Amino acid sequence: MAPRKNFRNQAKKEVKPAAVVNKNGVKAEATVAASGGGFSSTKIFTWFMVLALLGVWSSVAVVWFDLVDYDNVIGKLSAYDADGDGDFDVEDAKVLLGLKERPVSVLLREAKEESAVKEPDAVPTPPDDDVDGSQNTDVESEIQAAVPLPLISDGFIPDDSRDEASHPYEDENDAIDMKGELVEKAQPQQTVEESKQYNDQPGSLKTKETVQLRYNAEAESVPEPEADVESVLEPEADVEPEVESVPELEAEFVPELKENAEEQPKDKLKEKAKKKKPKLLNKFEKTIKTEIDAAEKLRKKGKVEEAVRAFETLVLQYPQSPRCRYGKALAEDGLAEKMLSNDMLQKAIGTYKEASELPNATPDLIKATLKKRAERQQFLGRMRGALATLEKLVQIFPEDVALKNDLGVAHLLIGDNKSAKRVYEEVLATAPSDGFAKVHYGFILKSENKIAESIPFLRDGLESGDPGTDDGRFYFHLGDALQRMGDDSAYKWYERGHQRGHFASVWQRSLYNVDGLKAQPWWMPKDTGYMDLVKTLERNWRIIRDEAQSVMDKTTGLFVPEEENLREKGEWGQFTLWQQGKKAGESCRSVPKTCGLLERFPEAIGCKRGQIKFSVMQPGTHVWPHTGPTNCRLRMHLGLVIPKTGCKIRCTNDTRAWEEGKVLIFDDSFEHEVWQDADSYRLIFIVDVWHPELTQYQRQTLSPI
C-alpha cells in the first residue's frame, strides 16, 4: 500500500510568500533582503528631502512672523566693540584685556546714550545729578559751616611753605598757615582748654566731609594699619565721598527748630523752606548740555581719570565755557582725592580760578567755583589764600550773608579775631536774627573775657537752630560762661550738649575723644598699669621737689603765668618740661635729675596729648571749673610742697587733697576745679600719661594736643 503524503508539510514547503509591492513600486521582500531589515538608500533620500523642506518652511515662518529679534541679538555683540570702529578685532581685545585705554569719544558716546536712557521726564533727580542747576539743592553743606573743609581721603600731606603772598587773589601758591594733619577727623592746634584764638579752641574747626562740615569734634577712631601711616589718613566712613556735581549754593537748609516750633514766626519758617535753583549754564552752554552731562556722568560714577580726559576734550573744544572748565576742576579735585596728591589738588585749585574768571560765567557758577576754591585752599592749610578768595566773593556778592559768615570764620582761623568781630557786627546789623553770626560773635566776646555780654549771643544762636550752630564748642563756652556768672542753668546746656552727642556726659565734656575708653574721674595707680612710674615718682619726690624749688625764683623766668584764662583770681605759674610728646626747649637743663627719672617712661614723655610740668599756686587762687580737651590721657599730680590745710581739688562731685610724696591720678576730661586758700604756696609735679586702653598704633597716630 502506497504511503500517505503529509499534505500539510508539503504545503508549507511549497508555498512562497507573495511579493508585496509598496506605493513606490518596490517589493518589500526585496527591500528587507537587501538591507537586512534596514532602510534602503531610496528611503534615506526620501527622508532627507522631507527634512530639507521642513527647514525651508521653518525659515520662512521665522522671517515672515518675526519670531526672532535679530537686531537685539546682533546689538548685544556691540558690547565687544570697545574701540568704536564697528567690529570686533584685535584692538577691541586689547581694550577688553586692559592693555589699551578706551577712546574718549567712545566714553562720551556711551555716557550720552546712558544719560538719554536714564533721563526721566517727570521723576526729579537728586541735586547732585542736576548739572545745569535745574533741580532744587540742599545747601546744608555750604552754609552749615564756615567753609566746608572736606575730609577727603586720608592721604593729603599739606606742604609746609611759609611764604605768604600779601593778598592777591591770583595767589596760586598761598602760604600755609596751618598743616592739615589728617590722621584724624578733627584736631586742635593747642593744648589749652580755652584760648583767644578760634582755631585753638576745643573743637577747633577742622576738616570733615560727608558733604558738610560740622564744627564739633567727633569721636576719633584710629584704624589698625593697612598701609603707610604717613600716607593714609583715617577713613571717615565713606573714604571716597562723591564730589557733588552741583555745589550747594543759595538754597537754605531747614534746620532743627526750637523745642517749641510755634515760637518761630511763620514767615521765617517759610523763608527757610525756600530753595533757590542755581544756574550754572550760560546761554551757549545749554546747547552743549548733552556733552557736559556725559562727561559729568563719568565723574559722578567715580571714573575720575576718564572724566578728566572728557572735560579736557570739552575745554579744548569750548575754551570759553566756564561750565566745562568748572567740570574739569571738579574732576581734577576727585582725582586728587583718589591719587592722594597735593599737586593734583593744587591744579584743581588753579582750574577753579580759571573757571571763575572766564567771561559769560553765571553768577551762581562764579559763587560755586570760588567757594570750592576757598574750601580746598583751607584743606591744604592755605588760610590766607582762602581768606583772599572769600574776600573776593564778598566783594562780588555783598548781600550774601552766608558768604560774610564764611569770611568771619576765615579771619578766626588765622587768629584775626578783631577782623572777624567786625564782619559779624556787619552781619548782625543787617540780619539781627542770624544764629550763625550770633554764636560766633558770642564766642569772640567770651575770648575777650566779656563773659556776661557773650551769654545772650551764644544762647540765642544755639536756640535758633540755624545751620552751623549745633557745635560742641558753643555749648561748651555757653555753659562755661554761665558757670562763671554763678548761673546753675549751665548744666542744662551741658545736658543738651550731651543729648546732641557733643559730650560723653554732663561731667565729661572733652571734644577730642576716642570711643570706648574706660571713663571714670579718679583712678587708682594699680588700675593704670603704670605702677613703675608711680613708684619712681613717689620714691624720688624730694629730688624732684628740690630741683623745682631751685628754679622757682622769679628772676629766672622759668615759671610763667597760666595763660588759659582758667583763673578766677590769684597767681598760678607753670614750668613745662615736655609738651605734645617733645621736650620743651632747654628746660631739662635746669632740672636734669627729674628729666632723667622720666626718660624711661614712654607712656609719659611720649604722650602727644599731654604735658609734663611743675605747677605752683599762690594763696588766694581759685581755678574755674573746666575740662581738658581729650579723653586720651590721664593726669598724675605728685605732691611736692602741700600746706596742711586750704588746698583741694574737685573732680566731678568728689573733692580730694594732695599729700607730699603721693600721686593723685584723675581723668581731666571730667570737670575739675581747684582752690588754694592756704597761707603759703602749693607746689605739685604734673605728669600726663596715655590712657592705658589706647593701643600702640593709636598712640603713634593720634595727633598732638
Side-chain angles (χ1 to χ4, degrees):
M1 184 174 178
R4 296 178 63 181
K5 293 183 180 180
N6 189 341
F7 291 100
R8 183 176 299 176
N9 292 337
Q10 187 177 3
K12 286 182 179 179
K13 291 179 181 179
E14 295 178 357
V15 174
K16 293 181 180 181
V20 179
V21 180
N22 60 25
K23 293 180 181 179
N24 295 321
V26 180
K27 292 182 179 180
E29 181 182 338
T31 303
V32 172
S35 60
F39 287 104
S40 68
S41 58
T42 306
K43 193 158 188 176
I44 291 173
F45 175 77
T46 301
W47 281 108
F48 174 78
M49 293 300 294
V50 170
L51 292 174
L53 289 172
L54 285 174
V56 171
W57 284 110
S58 297
S59 300
V60 171
V62 167
V63 174
W64 182 263
F65 296 106
D66 197 18
L67 298 179
V68 177
D69 186 359
Y70 286 102
D71 291 337
N72 184 43
V73 174
I74 296 172
K76 290 180 180 178
L77 298 178
S78 65
Y80 299 97
D81 178 21
D83 60 2
D85 61 359
D87 61 4
F88 178 75
D89 51 22
V90 175
E91 296 303 315
D92 297 309
K94 288 181 180 179
V95 174
L96 293 174
L97 291 172
L99 303 176
K100 179 180 178 181
E101 293 185 351
R102 308 187 77 179
V104 173
S105 59
V106 176
L107 296 171
L108 286 173
R109 184 194 67 199
E110 290 178 354
K112 288 180 187 177
E113 291 171 354
E114 185 174 345
S115 178
V117 170
K118 293 185 178 180
E119 191 169 34
D121 295 326
V123 181
T125 57
D128 212 28
D129 294 335
D130 186 16
V131 177
D132 65 342
S134 61
Q135 300 293 332
N136 294 338
T137 57
D138 174 4
V139 295
E140 179 179 7
S141 64
E142 294 296 330
I143 61 180
Q144 178 177 358
V147 176
L149 305 180
L151 210 181
I152 277 212
S153 267
D154 313 1
F156 289 106
I157 303 175
D159 308 326
D160 196 17
S161 167
R162 298 282 171 183
D163 300 323
E164 298 191 1
S166 56
H167 195 114
Y169 309 117
E170 304 79 20
D171 178 21
E172 284 304 326
N173 296 306
D174 311 302
I176 299 175
D177 300 293
M178 303 163 63
K179 282 198 173 184
E181 185 82 38
L182 295 178
V183 175
E184 304 171 61
K185 296 180 182 177
Q187 60 205 352
Q189 295 296 309
Q190 303 290 338
T191 63
V192 300
E193 282 81 2
E194 178 177 2
S195 146
K196 294 186 179 180
Q197 287 196 8
Y198 182 73
N199 58 326
D200 292 342
Q201 302 297 327
S204 172
L205 179 64
K206 281 293 180 184
T207 61
K208 184 180 188 299
E209 178 178 353
T210 40
V211 195
Q212 67 185 19
L213 168 74
R214 290 176 54 190
Y215 286 173
N216 56 292
E218 298 195 350
E220 299 166 315
S221 101
V222 180
E224 289 305 315
E226 293 183 0
D228 186 359
V229 174
E230 293 298 321
S231 62
V232 179
L233 64 80
E234 176 194 11
E236 183 201 278
D238 282 44
V239 185
E240 200 164 285
E242 185 176 330
V243 183
E244 63 274 21
S245 149
V246 177
E248 295 150 342
L249 296 172
E250 306 270 46
E252 294 188 0
F253 170 70
V254 181
E256 290 189 20
L257 305 179
K258 294 180 181 179
E259 293 179 2
N260 183 2
E262 287 75 18
E263 295 179 13
Q264 298 206 11
K266 291 183 179 180
D267 56 344
K268 184 175 181 180
L269 297 179
K270 289 180 181 178
E271 180 183 348
K272 289 184 177 182
K274 291 181 181 178
K275 292 181 179 180
K276 188 175 180 180
K277 301 176 182 179
K279 303 297 182 184
L280 302 183
L281 301 179
N282 60 30
K283 188 174 181 180
F284 166 73
E285 288 165 339
K286 290 179 182 179
T287 66
I288 58 170
K289 180 178 181 299
T290 303
E291 296 175 70
I292 294 174
D293 286 351
E296 189 69 20
K297 188 71 71 175
L298 294 171
R299 185 182 70 83
K300 286 162 51 58
K301 281 187 169 184
K303 300 177 180 179
V304 286
E305 296 95 339
E306 298 169 2
V308 168
R309 293 199 301 272
F311 274 114
E312 284 175 345
T313 299
L314 289 176
V315 168
L316 288 174
Q317 290 178 322
Y318 313 109
Q320 294 302 307
S321 166
R323 179 62 184 87
C324 290
R325 207 167 295 261
Y326 176 54
K328 179 174 177 280
L330 289 173
E332 290 170 344
D333 202 332
L335 183 57
E337 177 182 342
K338 184 174 182 179
M339 295 172 58
L340 306 179
S341 168
N342 282 356
D343 290 338
M344 180 57 69
L345 183 55
Q346 186 58 50
K347 183 178 180 181
I349 289 172
T351 307
Y352 284 128
K353 177 174 179 285
E354 293 171 5
S356 70
E357 294 176 345
L358 285 174
N360 300 320
T362 66
D364 283 348
L365 185 127
I366 292 173
K367 184 182 296 186
T369 302
L370 291 179
K371 287 186 76 171
K372 264 294 192 183
R373 183 170 193 259
E375 71 181 54
R376 309 313 274 145
Q377 287 173 310
Q378 285 187 330
F379 177 79
L380 281 181
R382 305 180 183 279
M383 298 303 171
R384 295 194 182 277
L387 176 64
T389 302
L390 287 166
E391 284 179 339
K392 183 175 182 179
L393 266 170
V394 170
Q395 289 174 3
I396 299 171
F397 305 100
E399 303 303 319
D400 192 316
V401 171
L403 291 178
K404 289 183 178 178
N405 282 334
D406 292 350
L407 178 60
V409 171
H411 282 297
L412 288 170
L413 286 172
I414 63 172
D416 188 0
N417 288 19
K418 184 177 180 180
S419 295
K421 184 178 182 181
R422 184 174 62 251
V423 170
Y424 289 121
E425 286 173 344
E426 292 175 3
V427 171
L428 292 172
T430 57
S433 62
D434 188 285
F436 187 95
K438 281 186 174 181
V439 289
H440 286 81
Y441 189 66
F443 176 91
I444 295 169
L445 289 175
K446 185 169 181 292
S447 72
E448 296 174 345
N449 213 29
K450 297 178 180 179
I451 306 300
E453 294 93 325
S454 71
I455 290 174
F457 288 99
L458 288 166
R459 182 175 52 219
D460 293 350
L462 284 171
E463 288 179 342
S464 73
D466 286 349
T469 60
D470 185 20
D471 178 340
R473 288 172 307 166
F474 301 134
Y475 288 96
F476 182 99
H477 287 295
L478 174 57
D480 184 62
L482 289 168
Q483 278 185 306
R484 297 188 184 199
M485 296 302 296
D487 189 336
D488 290 338
S489 68
Y491 289 97
K492 180 193 78 173
W493 287 99
Y494 290 146
E495 175 62 29
R496 188 173 297 184
H498 167 55
Q499 292 173 352
R500 301 293 298 162
H502 302 305
F503 307 138
S505 70
V506 173
W507 290 115
Q508 191 178 22
R509 302 191 297 273
S510 54
L511 294 172
Y512 296 88
N513 302 321
V514 168
D515 282 338
L517 299 181
K518 183 177 180 180
Q520 62 185 45
W522 293 98
W523 287 67
M524 296 295 292
K526 62 182 177 61
D527 296 330
T528 66
Y530 300 139
M531 281 300 296
D532 265 0
L533 173 59
V534 172
K535 289 178 180 178
T536 297
L537 293 174
E538 291 184 344
R539 287 170 183 164
N540 297 278
W541 74 273
R542 288 185 175 85
I543 294 173
I544 298 171
R545 178 198 62 191
D546 293 345
E547 284 197 326
Q549 288 178 322
S550 71
V551 297
M552 276 183 60
D553 184 355
K554 290 184 179 180
T555 60
T556 65
L558 298 181
F559 276 78
V560 297
E562 177 272 327
E563 297 176 342
E564 300 173 15
N565 193 26
L566 297 177
R567 285 171 293 159
E568 177 191 11
K569 59 182 180 177
E571 296 182 31
W572 179 14
Q574 300 176 346
F575 175 38
T576 302
L577 306 181
W578 271 271
Q579 183 162 313
Q580 298 182 340
K582 297 179 181 179
K583 284 186 177 180
E586 303 296 322
S587 298
C588 279
R589 289 191 175 184
S590 303
V591 287
K593 294 179 182 178
T594 299
C595 290
L597 290 170
L598 292 168
E599 290 285 357
R600 65 187 184 91
F601 297 105
E603 64 267 28
I605 64 174
C607 182
K608 294 185 293 183
R609 296 200 157 191
Q611 301 168 306
I612 298 176
K613 59 188 178 182
F614 293 103
S615 171
V616 62
M617 193 172 288
Q618 300 298 332
T621 301
H622 173 234
V623 178
W624 294 111
H626 63 286
T627 61
T630 179
N631 74 339
C632 295
R633 73 189 187 199
L634 300 180
R635 177 155 282 189
M636 296 184 178
H637 281 188
L638 172 65
L640 300 178
V641 178
I642 309 298
K644 291 184 179 180
T645 60
C647 294
K648 57 186 178 180
I649 177 172
R650 173 185 67 82
C651 188
T652 64
N653 54 4
D654 187 353
T655 301
R656 302 188 182 186
W658 297 272
E659 295 180 45
E660 292 183 357
K662 297 295 181 182
V663 170
L664 281 178
I665 307 175
F666 67 102
D667 184 338
D668 76 326
S669 64
F670 287 85
E671 179 182 293
H672 53 286
E673 183 177 10
V674 177
W675 296 267
Q676 214 288 44
D677 295 323
D679 54 6
S680 60
Y681 71 86
R682 182 227 64 180
L683 177 64
I684 62 173
F685 187 44
I686 299 175
V687 179
D688 290 335
V689 293
W690 285 117
H691 192 291
E693 293 183 355
L694 287 173
T695 67
Q696 201 60 38
Y697 179 71
Q698 288 172 320
R699 299 180 189 197
Q700 291 172 0
T701 56
L702 285 169
S703 63
I705 295 181

